[in-house]
Amino acid sequence: MSEELQKDYHDELNTLMVRRREELEHLRAAGVDPYPHGFERNASAKEILDTFKDEQPQWIVAAAGRIMSIRRMGKASFCHIQDMTGKIQSYLKKDDLGDAYDHFKLLDIGDIIGIEGYVFRTKMGEVSIHAQKVVLLSKSLRPLPVVKEKTDEQGNKVTFDPFSDKELRYRQRYVDLVVNPSVRETFIKRSMILRQMRSFLDEKNFLEVETPALQPIYGGASARPFSTHHNALDIPLYLRIADELYLKRLIVGGFDGVYEIAKDFRNEGMDRTHNPEFTMMELYVAYKDYIWMMELVEQMVHSIAQTLNHSAVVNLGENEINFTPPWQRLTMFGAIEKYTGKQLRGKNETELRSAAKELQIDLDPKIGSGKIIDEIFSVTVQPHLIQPTFIMDYPVELSPLAKKHRTEEGLVERFEGFVNGQEICNAFSELNDPLDQRARFEEQVRLRERGDDEAQTMDDDFLRALEYGMPPTAGLGIGIDRLVMLLTQQDHIRDVIFFPQMRPEK
RNA sequence: GAUCGCGUAGCUCAGCGGUAGAGCAUCUGCCUUUUAAGCAGAGGGUCGAUGGUUCGAGACCAUCCGCGGUCACCA
């Protein structure tokens, strides 16, 4: 490295990084382009390992990837390179490579190289590439965490010094992905889940659409929004907390089935199951109701599980979860009765409060009867809902956008799906009576005035749309991140989001 | 937001008042089928930051920053 460069970097770079910059200069001096423009590959690590047969004629492959380990033995070396499909070993010999072998000696773990050679099996039995050409494709200037693996006598993989610092893993997800193969697998599964969901919905001829993420009036859920400002219009705007009201406008507009997979944003706390931005799938289908929607959810989730694992069963800790339809169906009041012995249907607020007290549930004195029932439900019932279960028919106060129950006074046609004690979807027969909807909004406005800052706001344009007439419609929302957590056995939302929200560094 | 815990070499960690340590990685030498390669040697740190206590602080105290767990709010 030139003295100037060294001086420039000396204060801020550790010796490992200075060292790599020096190697870069040596390679350039030797006429090696450390950042060439491409490399023609014809095999992946996995293909080579899966298809190699010892008795086959010589098979020349060209593979590329990141160097993950090097074992140098004087005039010959072994290294492992890793591509998207896995790792493959390569054997490099001075006799075969000449000058290129000397250049190889300047390479490090983390560099990206291309290797051409024939596939063989080493004395120790590992399928490897006997290199005839090696070319540097990208010189790495930062040391990669070195994670070593060994296979013990029982055939189990033992990992040494895993890259495990959570802060580093999330801030530098690119490193996490390079070094922790299971992380890469989880995100590949996330993609497969989304792909299967789309193909399931597309096959039913539902139309994938896009609606505004920047909204002058936010609605469709009970949550606090992020707010921002549009300079040219000089108006406040909100990041959407849900797509619901826009998608229903599209049903008014004459589409029979629309869905959107999009980010929603909610300005609330973060924990195991909450990230401020998260992915939601919402689906609306004209001329259908919530009973129809339950069957669709069962089928869809089952088809996703099946595609992902070739099985309807997912192992989650001690539980074996079976997604095979039909799922258990319970009404909300029926479920509470099943797990507490108490029948709360038709009880007034005072009676509900005393029931809660008997169950040793502390309640906020401000909340009304709907929320009291919800609270009792989530404490006494929800943890028991391990196998996929639909809970149906919620109190009207909890659901200002859902249609009144066709027979049960005071309830709405709504269901939530629960798996492993967690909610995975929310759906209802959509409220399409414009006068009823206006009254529900007015009730929400009253709640807001009483200090409930999560109550929904009046949306006059949405009401205008309903006044033109919306067909009977079934609607559904599925939190994609939580579904992915379930199907990939991750217990933190951060582990299914590539770049979870973090405080900025420094 | 409240509360508890953590922050030491590139990575994973030990040290808990008395000269900053280990393994891997890195560098030098030897080594042409190794695989946590091996053998011999070497370098590498404002111990998260700032104040304080002390003859002396990585360690004790205070404040701040970052991360994590739990609770609250929520999907």
Side-chain angles (χ1 to χ4, degrees), chain A residues 29-93:
Chain A
V32 174
D33 178 359
Y35 301 102
H37 294 76
F39 180 78
E40 210 50 53
R41 293 191 286 173
N42 65 15
S44 69
K46 189 170 189 311
E47 279 162 16
I48 294 167
L49 295 177
D50 287 354
T51 48
F52 176 73
K53 300 260 180 351
D54 291 275
E55 52 293 349
Q56 77 189 358
Q58 200 179 63
W59 179 24
I60 307 273
V61 296
R66 191 184 291 275
I67 300 175
M68 299 304 287
S69 63
I70 306 178
R71 292 172 291 285
R72 302 182 202 274
M73 298 164 299
K75 295 182 183 61
S77 300
F78 285 92
C79 70
H80 274 97
I81 61 170
Q82 173 174 279
D83 63 21
M84 197 179 157
T85 66
K87 289 180 196 160
I88 180 93
Q89 181 173 255
S90 179
Y91 177 57
L92 304 99
K93 213 160 62 151

Side-chain angles (χ1 to χ4, degrees), chain A residues 313-447:
Chain A
V313 177
V314 173
N315 291 305
L316 268 186
E318 296 158 13
N319 300 321
E320 273 201 347
I321 301 204
N322 191 336
F323 289 100
T324 308
W327 299 357
Q328 184 182 201
R329 297 180 188 192
L330 294 169
T331 64
M332 188 175 225
F333 287 103
I336 292 172
E337 188 179 11
K338 178 172 173 184
Y339 289 100
T340 69
K342 290 185 188 302
Q343 179 51 262
L344 303 182
R345 182 85 174 95
K347 297 278 193 283
N348 64 32
E349 186 173 331
T350 319
E351 293 166 323
L352 290 171
R353 283 190 180 276
S354 71
K357 197 167 182 188
E358 284 170 37
L359 295 165
Q360 293 167 353
I361 298 168
D362 285 331
L363 293 175
D364 185 333
K366 283 185 301 204
I367 64 177
S369 54
K371 280 207 172 181
I372 295 173
I373 292 165
D374 193 41
E375 183 65 23
I376 292 174
F377 171 82
S378 56
V379 173
T380 62
V381 179
Q382 198 173 323
H384 300 291
L385 304 179
I386 303 301
Q387 294 302 320
T389 303
F390 291 122
I391 298 295
M392 315 157 53
D393 301 345
Y394 285 65
V396 62
E397 310 92 88
L398 290 175
S399 318
L401 299 165
K403 195 170 190 163
K404 280 184 178 142
H405 198 281
R406 59 197 75 183
T407 58
E408 301 294 318
E409 185 69 25
L411 302 186
V412 291
E413 295 197 350
R414 171 181 176 187
F415 72 84
E416 293 185 310
F418 291 88
V419 178
N420 204 38
Q422 273 205 312
E423 183 197 329
I424 62 157
C425 73
N426 183 18
F428 24 90
S429 299
E430 299 295 333
L431 177 52
N432 63 341
D433 173 344
L435 302 180
D436 189 0
Q437 183 67 79
R438 183 175 296 278
R440 304 271 195 100
F441 273 142
E442 279 162 358
E443 173 60 22
Q444 290 291 310
V445 170
R446 277 194 289 281
L447 286 175

Side-chain angles (χ1 to χ4, degrees), chain A residues 213-219 223-229 236-242 263-270 275-278 501:
Chain A
L214 285 173
Q215 305 181 347
I217 297 170
Y218 61 92
R224 293 201 299 270
F226 287 92
S227 46
T228 184
H229 184 264
L237 286 174
Y238 302 95
L239 272 64
R240 72 170 149 222
I241 58 171
K263 287 281 181 70
D264 289 347
F265 307 86
R266 297 188 185 175
N267 205 343
E268 280 151 0
M270 298 161 60
N275 194 63
E277 61 180 291
F278 61 101
Q501 197 56 241

Side-chain angles (χ1 to χ4, degrees), chain A residues 130-380:
Chain A
H130 189 126
Q132 294 162 317
K133 276 184 197 162
V134 191
V135 43
L136 175 61
L137 299 176
S138 183
K139 180 68 191 157
S140 163
L141 298 181
R142 280 179 188 269
L144 197 66
V146 176
V147 179
K148 293 215 169 187
E149 276 180 348
K150 180 174 118 178
T151 308
D152 66 13
E153 300 79 41
Q154 284 81 42
N156 302 314
K157 274 202 174 159
V158 190
T159 304
F160 298 85
D161 301 336
F163 179 60
S164 56
D165 183 295
K166 287 196 168 112
E167 181 173 0
L168 288 176
R169 286 186 48 223
Y170 299 132
R171 286 197 194 281
Q172 301 185 41
R173 180 70 91 181
Y174 34 87
V175 175
D176 194 26
L177 287 164
V178 167
V179 142
N180 290 325
S182 66
V183 174
R184 181 173 51 228
E185 279 159 28
T186 298
F187 284 100
I188 290 172
K189 283 186 175 175
R190 181 177 175 124
S191 269
M192 289 169 66
I193 288 165
L194 281 166
R195 190 192 304 157
Q196 178 57 26
M197 182 176 282
R198 281 201 167 88
S199 100
F200 180 92
L201 295 169
D202 291 344
E203 205 167 286
K204 297 197 157 19
N205 284 320
F206 303 139
L207 195 67
E208 184 172 7
V209 299
E210 295 173 278
T211 64
L214 285 173
Q215 305 181 347
I217 297 170
Y218 61 92
S222 301
R224 293 201 299 270
F226 287 92
S227 46
T228 184
H229 184 264
H230 188 273
N231 291 339
L233 294 174
D234 192 23
I235 52 166
L237 286 174
Y238 302 95
L239 272 64
R240 72 170 149 222
I241 58 171
D243 313 2
E244 173 150 359
L245 301 183
Y246 281 96
L247 290 171
K248 284 198 259 193
R249 284 168 169 96
L250 297 181
I251 298 295
V252 170
F255 292 110
D256 280 345
V258 291
Y259 74 94
E260 179 166 19
I261 297 174
K263 287 281 181 70
D264 289 347
F265 307 86
R266 297 188 185 175
N267 205 343
E268 280 151 0
M270 298 161 60
D271 61 23
R272 210 174 65 73
T273 55
H274 296 82
N275 194 63
E277 61 180 291
F278 61 101
T279 304
M280 183 78 113
M281 192 285 287
E282 290 194 38
L283 166 70
Y284 295 84
V285 182
Y287 309 108
K288 303 296 185 189
D289 64 7
Y290 78 138
I291 302 292
W292 177 88
M293 189 61 94
M294 271 184 250
E295 282 176 26
L296 181 117
V297 170
E298 289 169 346
Q299 287 169 17
M300 180 168 67
V301 175
H302 177 254
S303 87
I304 291 169
Q306 194 72 41
T307 305
L308 200 62
N309 303 316
H310 307 291
S311 164
V313 177
V314 173
N315 291 305
L316 268 186
E318 296 158 13
N319 300 321
E320 273 201 347
I321 301 204
N322 191 336
F323 289 100
T324 308
W327 299 357
Q328 184 182 201
R329 297 180 188 192
L330 294 169
T331 64
M332 188 175 225
F333 287 103
I336 292 172
E337 188 179 11
K338 178 172 173 184
Y339 289 100
T340 69
K342 290 185 188 302
Q343 179 51 262
L344 303 182
R345 182 85 174 95
K347 297 278 193 283
N348 64 32
E349 186 173 331
T350 319
E351 293 166 323
L352 290 171
R353 283 190 180 276
S354 71
K357 197 167 182 188
E358 284 170 37
L359 295 165
Q360 293 167 353
I361 298 168
D362 285 331
L363 293 175
D364 185 333
K366 283 185 301 204
I367 64 177
S369 54
K371 280 207 172 181
I372 295 173
I373 292 165
D374 193 41
E375 183 65 23
I376 292 174
F377 171 82
S378 56
V379 173
T380 62

Side-chain angles (χ1 to χ4, degrees), chain A residues 22-34 99-107 136:
Chain A
E22 285 170 356
E23 281 163 351
L24 179 71
E25 287 210 344
H26 289 145
L27 286 161
R28 283 208 159 105
V32 174
D33 178 359
D99 285 351
Y101 188 79
D102 298 323
H103 300 154
F104 175 78
K105 289 203 288 193
L106 292 171
L107 301 189
L136 175 61

